């Protein structure tokens, strides 16, 4: 049957039932199918901007009860700590509006549902994905508005050179992976403020690392770094630094003082980080 066009009054009546935030953490476990459908009815009617479905052990077939494909205002989706193998299918509108996707502790395989379709995403958390995230890294590199990326404990072995094209990144957290090097293009991340690559297999940093003039916090403990590039001294915004459990010798005066706004304080932070107590003499 042909449906009639909705009137402005009917659309306004729908908007009266809209709710901006809906949270169901740990509330959907072991619910029957009809109860899940009832919850979906409330979600569909509310058309939330923020939806939290975390910590429910939901599987893909259960997620289908919620028909997230009908949500058109969604900006934030939390599906962390579930048993999902696929990113939920979103409406074409939600793929445009979604800004935050929190999805750690799942079993994603990153198949046909491509992360790169979330073109306006600002924050992405795929940490502790049981199946690993190496396949997803290339898709992530298409998210040109991304500001925060969390992919720790995700069996990542490499970052492609195009990673440096994510020019709006401000925070990158990649601890406990299998990275052996960082791409030269990382120096292009002019807005990067926080970088966590602790507990990887890094042996050195690229010469372009000193171009990260906005970098304030750098965590690289428990790697195999044996030397730092001379450009490291140009990290004038750095306030927090951890380099313990590496293979670093005492820094040369050139590296230690070049470009630092407060060289002796910064050098002391570094020396403590690598468990040395002797401060370099004034330049």
């Amino acid at each position: 049957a042909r449906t009639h066009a909705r009137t402005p009054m009917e659309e306004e009546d729908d908007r009266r039932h809209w709710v901006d935030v809906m949270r169901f953490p740990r509330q959907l476990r072991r619910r029957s199918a009809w109860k899940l459908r009832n919850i979906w009815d409330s979600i569909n009617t509310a058309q939330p901007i923020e939806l939290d479905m975390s910590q429910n052990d939901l599987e893909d077939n259960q997620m289908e009860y919620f028909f997230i494909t009908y949500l058109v205002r969604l900006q934030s989706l939390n599906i962390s700590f579930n048993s999902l193998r696929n990113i939920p299918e979103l409406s074409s509108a939600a793929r445009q509006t979604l800004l935050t996707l929190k999805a750690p502790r799942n079993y994603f395989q990153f198949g046909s549902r491509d992360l790169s379709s979330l073109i306006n995403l600002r924050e992405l958390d795929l940490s502790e994905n049981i199946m690993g995230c190496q396949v997803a890294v290339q898709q992530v590199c298409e998210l040109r508005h991304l500001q925060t990326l969390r992919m720790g404990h995700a069996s990542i072995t490499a970052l492609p050179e195009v990673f440096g094209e994510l020019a709006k990144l401000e925070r990158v957290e990649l601890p406990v992976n299998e990275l052996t090097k960082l791409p030269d293009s990382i120096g292009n991340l002019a807005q990067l403020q926080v970088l966590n690559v602790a507990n990887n297999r890094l042996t050195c940093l690229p010469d372009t690392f000193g171009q990260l003039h906005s970098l304030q916090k750098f965590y690289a403990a428990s790697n195999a770094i044996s030397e730092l590039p001379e450009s490291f001294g140009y990290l004038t915004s750095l306030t927090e630094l951890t380099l313990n459990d590496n293979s670093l010798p005492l820094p040369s005066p050139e590296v230690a003082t070049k470009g630092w706004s407060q060289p002796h304080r910064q050098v002391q932070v570094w020396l403590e980080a690598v468990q040395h107590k002797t401060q370099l003499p004034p330049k």
Side-chain angles (χ1 to χ4, degrees), residues 43-208:
I43 294 174
N44 186 31
T45 301
Q47 286 291 320
I49 293 175
E50 178 182 337
L51 179 59
D52 184 348
M53 303 173 72
S54 62
Q55 304 180 69
N56 284 295
D57 293 328
L58 290 173
E59 297 181 356
D60 292 291
N61 61 335
Q62 293 171 305
M63 184 63 73
E64 292 175 0
Y65 288 116
F66 299 98
F67 292 99
I68 293 179
T69 52
Y70 287 87
L71 301 182
V72 297
R73 299 199 306 155
L74 196 61
Q75 295 183 17
S76 176
L77 177 62
N78 187 342
I79 50 174
S80 59
F81 290 83
N82 282 291
S83 298
L84 301 173
R85 293 186 178 273
N86 294 288
I87 301 292
E89 185 175 357
L90 302 175
S91 68
S92 57
R95 288 197 294 271
Q96 303 281 330
T97 60
L98 194 69
L99 303 178
T100 299
L101 176 59
K102 298 178 181 179
R105 293 295 290 270
N106 279 283
Y107 296 82
F108 296 130
Q109 297 177 331
F110 303 105
S112 58
R113 293 179 189 172
D114 197 335
L115 287 169
S116 62
S117 65
L118 307 178
I119 59 174
N120 290 310
L121 205 64
R122 277 15 178 215
E123 179 179 354
L124 175 62
D125 189 346
L126 295 174
S127 301
E128 300 184 62
N129 180 43
I130 307 301
M131 304 300 290
C133 286
Q134 185 61 53
V135 175
V137 171
Q138 197 69 38
Q139 299 176 12
V140 169
C141 291
E142 299 295 324
L143 304 176
R144 299 306 169 87
H145 294 284
L146 200 63
Q147 297 172 351
T148 298
L149 174 63
R150 295 183 176 93
M151 296 177 75
H153 297 259
S155 302
I156 298 173
T157 58
L159 298 177
E161 280 297 323
V162 291
F163 189 80
E165 297 179 11
L166 298 176
K168 296 186 178 181
L169 275 176
E170 298 176 0
R171 188 181 193 98
V172 174
E173 298 183 13
L174 301 170
V176 196
N177 280 292
E178 300 175 19
L179 295 171
T180 58
K181 65 177 182 177
L182 298 176
D184 291 338
S185 63
I186 199 168
N188 297 332
L189 303 180
Q191 298 184 40
L192 189 64
Q193 298 175 23
V194 179
L195 177 59
N196 186 347
V197 288
N199 293 90
N200 276 273
R201 300 179 181 179
L202 299 175
T203 58
C204 62
L205 300 175
D207 291 336
T208 57

Side-chain angles (χ1 to χ4, degrees), residues 228-282:
L228 299 177
E230 289 193 7
S231 64
F232 195 85
Y234 290 111
L235 301 177
T236 54
S237 299
L238 202 62
T239 59
E240 292 187 25
L241 173 65
T242 59
L243 288 168
N244 53 292
D245 295 324
N246 278 282
S247 304
L248 286 167
L250 281 168
S252 67
E254 291 78 16
V255 171
T257 59
K258 185 183 295 184
W260 296 83
S261 58
Q262 297 175 304
H264 305 309
R265 182 176 68 82
Q266 298 288 0
V267 167
Q268 187 62 36
V269 171
W270 182 8
L271 294 177
E272 290 175 359
V274 295
Q275 300 179 342
H276 290 291
K277 299 301 181 184
T278 304
Q279 186 171 352
L280 293 179

